[in-house]
Amino acid sequence: WSDLDPELGSNSLNQTVYFLRRVFEATYSDDTSPGYVQSDTEMVWLDKDLVSSRSRECGALLRLARYGDGAAILALAGAYRGRFALDFTYEEWAGLYRDSLHAQYLEAMERAIAEHTSAGDLSAAIGLARAVIDVDDGADAVEVALIRLYKTVGAHAAAAELYGRYAAIQRTEFGTEVPPLRDL
């Protein structure tokens, strides 16, 4: 609507908000319905007290994780399922938000995996590393950490399986050779 003549743009925005409100509540009424969708002449937003999203929940968990909140890391491992807003790939704001949130997720999880490993809680480190790999199978540093963790706990078959996959991807996609499994 921002590219239209101001009067047409305003009408288009009002129509969009009208239909969006009915997505949340089919029998929407200005007088009795909650204000899920708010708008003014230039912006539309969802009321944060009435509408929540997984991306917002993950953002809140990431803020807690920065302060070493172990419960937030576990909750984040369960809540984050991959990059958000993939259906808005053509919108620059969505890509920036999605990539920033994903990078923050990877950083928080890598830090937590390292902390659990250093503390000797290898089971927790393995669980977090598996969660990351499930979400992003291109997280090479986490994949290498998981191979090492498997070797450390004596899960040699799991380490060999994951190593074979990792080495094949490095060879075919990047043309690089990785050190032998015994050297990782």
Side-chain angles (χ1 to χ4, degrees), residues 110-126 149 152:
E110 287 174 4
R111 187 177 60 244
I113 291 165
E115 288 170 359
H116 282 293
T117 301
S118 293
D121 191 355
L122 303 184
S123 178
I126 287 171
L149 286 163
T152 301

Side-chain angles (χ1 to χ4, degrees), residues 5-148:
D5 170 81
E7 188 174 323
L8 290 173
S10 178
N11 186 48
S12 176
L13 176 60
N14 289 335
Q15 288 294 314
T16 300
V17 170
Y18 172 88
F19 289 113
L20 186 56
R21 284 182 172 138
R22 275 129 193 99
V23 167
F24 290 104
E25 187 175 354
T27 59
Y28 177 84
S29 165
D30 283 335
D31 297 330
T32 59
S33 295
Y36 296 105
V37 181
Q38 303 291 319
S39 68
D40 62 23
T41 56
E42 296 185 13
M43 184 183 290
V44 176
W45 67 94
L46 300 175
D47 186 303
K48 290 180 180 181
D49 294 330
L50 299 174
V51 179
S52 186
S53 67
R54 213 168 18 89
S55 64
R56 189 167 146 217
E57 175 189 346
C58 288
L61 291 169
L62 280 165
R63 284 187 290 283
L64 292 172
R66 282 188 209 126
Y67 300 105
D69 186 327
I73 287 289
L74 290 176
L76 181 62
Y80 190 85
R81 297 186 199 129
R83 288 179 165 93
F84 293 101
L86 290 177
D87 47 344
F88 293 105
T89 54
Y90 54 88
E91 293 285 349
E92 186 177 340
W93 67 266
L96 295 173
Y97 175 75
R98 174 185 57 244
D99 295 345
S100 172
L101 196 64
H102 190 69
Q104 290 175 59
Y105 164 78
L106 290 173
E107 185 271 330
M109 298 302 281
E110 287 174 4
R111 187 177 60 244
I113 291 165
E115 288 170 359
H116 282 293
T117 301
S118 293
D121 191 355
L122 303 184
S123 178
I126 287 171
L128 292 176
R130 283 183 187 154
V132 172
I133 299 300
D134 287 345
V135 165
D136 184 347
D137 62 356
D140 295 341
V142 174
E143 200 162 22
V144 170
L146 184 56
I147 292 167
R148 289 181 179 141

